[in-house]
């Protein structure tokens, strides 16, 4: 089935140019989490496709994810090419649509299959692919945000008569509003049935795309000699709310080039229901757009061909996450186009208090090309922080279909068959979620198995049957005795490492205490040879141990079945930090001057020598992080997620 009634060349060209939308959503960084600084982030792509997997059976395509937390749920809006299956009456709906999904706002929920709620965009009156141009419209998607002025939710949407910028299909950016996140309506002009047009395509008489310009074209013609009548089109509106206005970024396109502009909007100005919209002009002054959204000035460019897709909070203020072309890319799945614009990579920039953008930083990879020659391989990153502090990254990719089907892309359209994929941003070099696999089945011994990331081998200590894999944990199954396990870890394998962070979640209901940390050997438990480690009891009392002596101690309120621990050792300064359930328990604790730790292993121990502690001891979410190292490991093709639900509740 053909999705778009334009030539395959035009589809391919414009979708290479317009690969991202702006999702503006500021997410707080808990103090316990590893913050993304202005250095290359450390990224693990850990789950795989959760929305898609339809090609070549049909032409459904999923991309442009945006979203926001509302109550106990995370609400996703996704752009879908071929929206007929999401119509409540099963009628044909021409062109791209906006579809609503939700997921439980939890560690498990954000890694599970979200639930379809339905299509929120109005459907074109077209009944088939041969309908008239005037009846043909589709929707593009911007960023979802909550307004602090009235508490409602808003999203900027593009109203288009097709998807081809070369013929001016992108007409204007409108607003949709919802009070509860479920019922969405277009925002209308006061006393009218006409939708509000925040910014609209405009014709300016200019010598070049970047000016100088002498104003609007006259009757479609250039005003001054030597000038051309250039069409300005706007896409990807992202907004963040302050107390009296919204601010953010919007993409404007001239000819075939994309630019990024700064925008601010004052609701109910000059009167209730109206919007005063201003763009930062090239002369660094704020200028107001016309009543119908047209401009008669040249906006200031902040980022050429930087397709910004999300804004998140960072220690310095905020960051914008984006896709860019990767002209030096040589790896990845080949989409069949050798143009430098037929490449993609993830990037981000800091945003300071004045909304200025810092230097561009790129994500690297040690397992898969982060810069790919597939134009739709690394697009539209949407960061979402889960309640446990982990930073998820939802993005769009065609890697699966590019690698699996020799016939792809059909007609050169690299968007066909795109998936939304889940990933996780982390600084972990070693990780184990203790998932059951064919090589490590449920109930099998932990001893001799390897970590899911880092390929390190566990050595389990204690009496038979010892530690086993059960329900996504390493557990002693309630056995009485001491159980322990270590993996080898040598600093010589990780040169230039300044800090080691060990994280995990323990269940301590079946032991006197659970230990966790750095060891001098992988063949002995922490109690015997531990170097820098923590032990915690079911009642929440804890001790930070170094050189066999207690360096610090205390008591915190915990759920003994699930205690999150993070132990950080700064090597040169010889200082230790401890966080329990995301809260600092010990900060900047110095090691004894006479003690130099020998670090050759990392592990855990369940101490239960007497049958006086019934219950199971467990460890899950184990990882070893090196914050000064860079890593980007993805698993687009190895995830086990099925397509998102295609049935409404």
């Amino acid at each position: 089935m053909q999705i778009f009634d334009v030539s395959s060349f035009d589809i391919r060209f414009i979708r290479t140019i317009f690969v991202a939308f702006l999702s503006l959503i500021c997410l707080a960084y808990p103090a316990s989490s590893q913050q993304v600084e202005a250095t290359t982030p450390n990224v693990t792509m850990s789950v795989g496709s959760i929305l898609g997997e339809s090609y070549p059976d049909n032409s459904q395509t999923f991309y442009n994810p945006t979203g926001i937390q509302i109550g106990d749920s995370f609400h996703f809006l996704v752009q879908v090419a071929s929206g007929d299956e999401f119509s409540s009456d099963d009628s044909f709906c021409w062109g791209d649509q906006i579809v609503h999904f939700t997921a439980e706002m939890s560690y498990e929920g954000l890694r599970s299959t979200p639930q379809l709620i339905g299509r929120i965009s109005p459907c074109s009156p077209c009944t088939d692919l041969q309908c008239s141009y005037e009846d043909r419209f589709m929707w593009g998607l911007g960023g979802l945000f909550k307004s602090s002025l009235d508490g409602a939710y808003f999203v900027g949407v593009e109203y288009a008569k097709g998807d081809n910028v070369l013929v001016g299909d992108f007409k204007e950016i409108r607003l949709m509003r919802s009070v509860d996140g479920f019922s969405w309506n277009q925002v209308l002009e006061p006393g009218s049935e006409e939708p509000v047009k925040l910014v609209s395509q405009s014709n300016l008489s200019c010598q070049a795309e970047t000016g100088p310009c002498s104003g609007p074209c006259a009757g479609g013609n250039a005003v001054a000699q030597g000038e051309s009548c250039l069409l300005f089109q706007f896409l990807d509106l992202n907004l963040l709310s302050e107390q009296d206005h919204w601010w953010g970024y919007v993409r404007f396109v001239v000819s075939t080039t994309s630019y990024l502009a700064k925008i601010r909007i004052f609701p109910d100005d000059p009167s209730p229901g109206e919007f005063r919209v201003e763009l930062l002009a090239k002369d660094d002054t704020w200028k107001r757009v016309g009543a119908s959204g047209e401009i008669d000035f040249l906006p200031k460019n902040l980022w050429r061909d930087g397709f910004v897709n999300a804004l998140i909070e960072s220690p310095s203020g905020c960051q914008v996450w984006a896709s860019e072309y990767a002209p030096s890319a040589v790896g990845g799945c080949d989409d069949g186009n050798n143009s430098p614009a037929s490449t993609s990579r993830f990037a981000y920039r800091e945003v300071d208090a004045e909304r200025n953008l810092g230097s561009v930083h790129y994500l690297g990879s040690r397992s898969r090309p982060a810069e790919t020659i597939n134009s739709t391989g690394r697009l539209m990153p949407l960061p979402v922080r889960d309640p446990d502090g982990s930073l998820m990254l939802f993005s769009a990719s065609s890697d699966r279909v590019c690698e699996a089907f020799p016939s792809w892309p059909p007609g050169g359209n690299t968007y066909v068959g795109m998936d939304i994929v889940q990933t996780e941003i982390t600084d972990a070099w070693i990780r184990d979620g203790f998932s059951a696999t064919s090589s490590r089945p449920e109930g099998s011994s932990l001893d001799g198995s390897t970590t899911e990331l880092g390929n390190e081998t566990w050595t389990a200590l204690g009496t038979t049957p010892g530690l086993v894999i059960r329900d996504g944990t390493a557990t002693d199954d309630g056995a009485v005795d001491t159980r322990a396990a270590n993996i080898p870890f040598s600093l010589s394998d990780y040169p230039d490492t300044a800090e080691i962070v060990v994280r995990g979640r323990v269940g301590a209901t079946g032991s006197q205490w659970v230990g966790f940390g750095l060891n001098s050997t992988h063949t002995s438990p922490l109690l015997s040879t531990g170097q820098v480690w923590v032990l915690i009891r079911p009642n929440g009392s804890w001790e930070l141990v170094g050189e066999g002596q207690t360096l610090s101690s205390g008591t915190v309120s915990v759920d003994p079945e699930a205690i999150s621990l993070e132990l950080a050792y700064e090597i040169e300064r010889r200082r230790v930090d401890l966080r329990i359930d995301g809260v600092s328990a010990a900060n900047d604790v110095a090691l004894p001057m006479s003690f130099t730790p020998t670090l050759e292993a990392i592990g855990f121990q369940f101490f239960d020598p007497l049958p006086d502690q019934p219950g199971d001891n467990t460890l899950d979410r184990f990882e070893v992080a090196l914050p000064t190292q860079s890593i980007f490991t993805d698993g687009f093709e190895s995830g086990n997620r099925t397509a998102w639900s295609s049935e409404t509740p």
Side-chain angles (χ1 to χ4, degrees):
M1 180 178 69
Q2 183 180 2
I3 303 177
F4 302 104
D5 190 16
V6 296
S7 72
S8 60
F9 170 80
D10 286 342
I11 293 174
R12 170 57 180 273
F13 185 80
I14 184 53
R15 289 199 155 174
T16 298
I17 296 255
F18 295 108
V19 294
F21 72 104
L22 273 169
S23 167
L24 201 62
I25 172 173
C26 252
L27 303 167
Y29 275 68
S32 62
S33 65
Q34 207 48 52
Q35 296 173 339
V36 181
E37 305 281 353
T39 56
T40 301
N42 308 305
V43 178
T44 294
M45 311 295 252
S46 59
V47 178
S49 176
I50 56 169
L51 176 55
E53 302 187 14
S54 58
Y55 179 87
D57 299 327
N58 60 58
S59 53
Q60 229 168 53
T61 294
F62 301 84
Y63 59 107
N64 271 11
T66 185
I68 195 170
Q69 181 180 354
I70 302 177
D72 295 330
S73 299
F74 194 86
H75 290 242
F76 291 97
L77 297 180
V78 177
Q79 192 167 334
V80 179
S82 180
D84 50 302
E85 294 190 17
F86 300 97
S87 300
S88 58
D89 58 358
D90 294 324
S91 61
F92 175 80
C93 199
W94 187 88
D96 282 22
Q97 304 297 314
I98 300 171
V99 180
H100 182 196
F101 297 84
T102 62
E104 180 183 289
M105 191 62 188
S106 66
Y107 181 94
E108 294 80 9
L110 289 175
R111 292 161 176 80
S112 302
T113 302
Q115 183 181 40
L116 171 68
I117 302 303
R119 174 175 52 82
I120 72 165
S121 52
C123 192
S124 164
C126 289
T127 57
D128 56 48
L129 290 173
Q130 307 305 319
C131 62
S132 69
Y133 178 80
E134 286 305 315
D135 286 338
R136 232 182 254 178
F137 60 81
M138 56 169 282
W139 301 95
L141 183 59
L144 175 58
F145 72 102
K146 182 178 181 179
S147 173
S148 58
L149 282 72
D150 62 0
Y153 302 95
F154 291 86
V155 63
V157 295
E158 299 135 26
Y159 175 79
K161 291 294 190 73
D163 72 338
N164 188 352
V165 71
L166 298 179
V167 295
D169 280 346
F170 290 85
K171 303 301 181 182
E172 63 214 26
I173 294 182
R174 302 178 179 180
L175 270 180
M176 296 191 73
R177 180 180 184 271
S178 174
V179 174
D180 58 4
F182 287 95
S183 300
W184 290 87
N185 294 287
Q186 289 193 75
V187 178
L188 304 179
E189 296 282 359
S192 169
E193 293 300 314
E194 289 296 312
V196 167
K197 301 175 183 178
L198 296 175
V199 282
S200 303
Q201 62 178 220
S202 308
N203 289 286
L204 292 183
S205 183
C206 306
Q207 291 184 10
E209 294 180 6
T210 55
C213 302
S214 58
C217 297
N221 299 311
V223 173
Q225 187 175 3
E227 293 184 345
S228 298
C229 190
L230 298 178
L231 178 65
F232 284 63
Q233 297 176 84
F234 295 92
L235 301 90
D236 305 342
L237 175 67
N238 282 347
L239 297 172
L240 180 66
S241 181
E242 294 191 353
Q243 290 303 314
D244 63 343
H245 72 284
W246 306 332
W247 72 273
Y249 304 97
V250 65
R251 194 147 55 91
F252 67 98
V253 183
V254 189
S255 183
T256 61
T257 306
S258 246
Y259 305 94
L260 186 67
K262 196 182 301 184
I263 188 171
R264 63 186 187 187
I265 299 176
F266 296 84
D268 298 324
D269 187 341
S271 60
E274 296 185 332
F275 297 86
R276 175 161 57 93
V277 182
E278 298 176 347
L279 293 174
L280 186 67
K282 189 177 180 180
D283 63 4
D284 280 319
T285 63
W286 288 98
K287 294 187 177 180
R288 186 170 180 174
V289 306
S292 297
E294 297 89 353
I295 61 171
D296 58 3
F297 57 90
L298 192 64
K300 181 176 182 177
N301 171 45
L302 304 178
W303 194 352
R304 177 169 173 161
D305 291 334
F307 307 105
V308 175
N309 195 62
L311 177 71
I312 65 172
E313 286 186 352
S314 72
S316 60
C318 285
Q319 293 171 338
V320 288
W321 285 68
S323 304
E324 264 199 349
Y325 301 137
S328 299
V330 295
C333 188
D334 190 352
D335 61 13
N337 188 319
N338 296 323
S339 165
S342 186
T343 57
S344 58
R345 60 186 171 186
F346 290 136
Y348 78 96
R349 299 174 73 172
E350 299 285 346
V351 182
D352 65 20
E354 285 73 39
R355 319 305 186 207
N356 297 316
L357 300 181
S359 301
V360 182
H361 302 276
Y362 301 106
L363 303 188
S365 175
R366 69 175 185 180
S367 68
R368 185 180 179 88
E371 296 190 350
T372 176
I373 56 176
N374 180 4
S375 63
T376 50
R378 306 284 180 269
L379 300 188
M380 308 162 189
L382 170 68
V384 180
R385 188 166 295 281
D386 74 19
D388 286 4
S390 298
L391 188 61
M392 301 292 296
L393 188 70
F394 295 82
S395 63
S397 176
S398 61
D399 272 12
R400 178 187 57 81
V401 292
C402 183
E403 294 168 359
F405 299 99
S407 61
W408 184 88
N413 183 3
T414 58
Y415 272 64
V416 171
M418 284 192 75
D419 302 328
I420 304 295
V421 294
Q422 293 169 322
T423 64
E424 184 172 342
I425 299 174
T426 179
D427 48 14
W429 281 73
I430 301 170
R431 164 179 284 175
D432 207 338
F434 306 105
S435 300
T437 64
S438 57
S439 60
R440 191 171 67 172
E442 188 81 359
S444 64
S445 175
L446 177 66
D447 187 47
S449 68
T450 57
T451 58
E452 295 167 352
L453 178 65
N455 201 36
E456 298 291 350
T457 301
W458 287 103
T459 297
L461 309 167
T463 57
T464 303
L467 297 164
V468 298
I469 303 298
R470 186 88 66 199
D471 298 327
T473 70
T475 178
D476 61 3
D477 268 351
V480 176
D481 206 344
T482 292
R483 303 284 194 276
N486 299 294
I487 55 171
F489 178 86
S490 175
L491 285 176
S492 62
D493 295 332
Y494 304 94
D496 302 321
T497 294
E499 184 180 19
I500 304 170
V501 180
V502 186
R503 306 186 185 105
R505 187 174 67 172
V506 300
T509 60
S511 64
Q512 292 185 13
W513 51 260
V514 171
F516 183 82
L518 309 177
N519 205 339
S520 64
T521 174
H522 68 280
T523 60
S524 180
L526 289 169
L527 186 60
S528 300
T529 55
Q531 300 292 286
V532 181
W533 58 288
V534 60
L535 68 83
I536 190 162
R537 301 177 179 88
N539 66 358
S541 67
W542 58 268
E543 296 180 36
L544 185 61
V545 182
E547 198 183 20
Q549 59 181 292
T550 299
L551 306 178
S552 183
S553 63
T555 300
V556 296
S557 177
V558 297
D559 174 1
E561 295 184 352
I563 308 171
S564 293
L565 300 174
E566 179 178 288
L567 182 71
Y569 172 50
E570 193 174 342
I571 298 169
E572 184 174 346
R573 294 182 61 243
R574 299 160 49 81
R575 300 288 173 140
V576 185
D577 294 338
L578 171 66
R579 306 187 73 85
I580 301 175
D581 287 337
V583 179
S584 178
N587 182 52
D588 213 31
V589 177
L591 297 182
M593 291 299 297
S594 60
F595 175 48
T596 300
T598 301
L599 305 179
E600 294 295 337
I602 296 174
F604 64 95
Q605 181 171 352
F606 302 147
F607 186 74
D608 186 25
L610 300 173
D612 58 354
Q613 289 291 127
D616 295 345
N617 303 303
T618 61
L619 171 69
D620 65 353
R621 304 181 189 176
F622 171 81
E623 63 182 35
V624 180
L626 309 175
T628 53
Q629 302 286 330
S630 296
I631 174 177
F632 173 49
T633 308
D634 76 52
F636 285 133
E637 76 286 358
S638 61
N640 58 6
R641 298 298 169 207
T642 58
W644 284 12
S645 166
S646 61
E647 296 181 0
T648 54

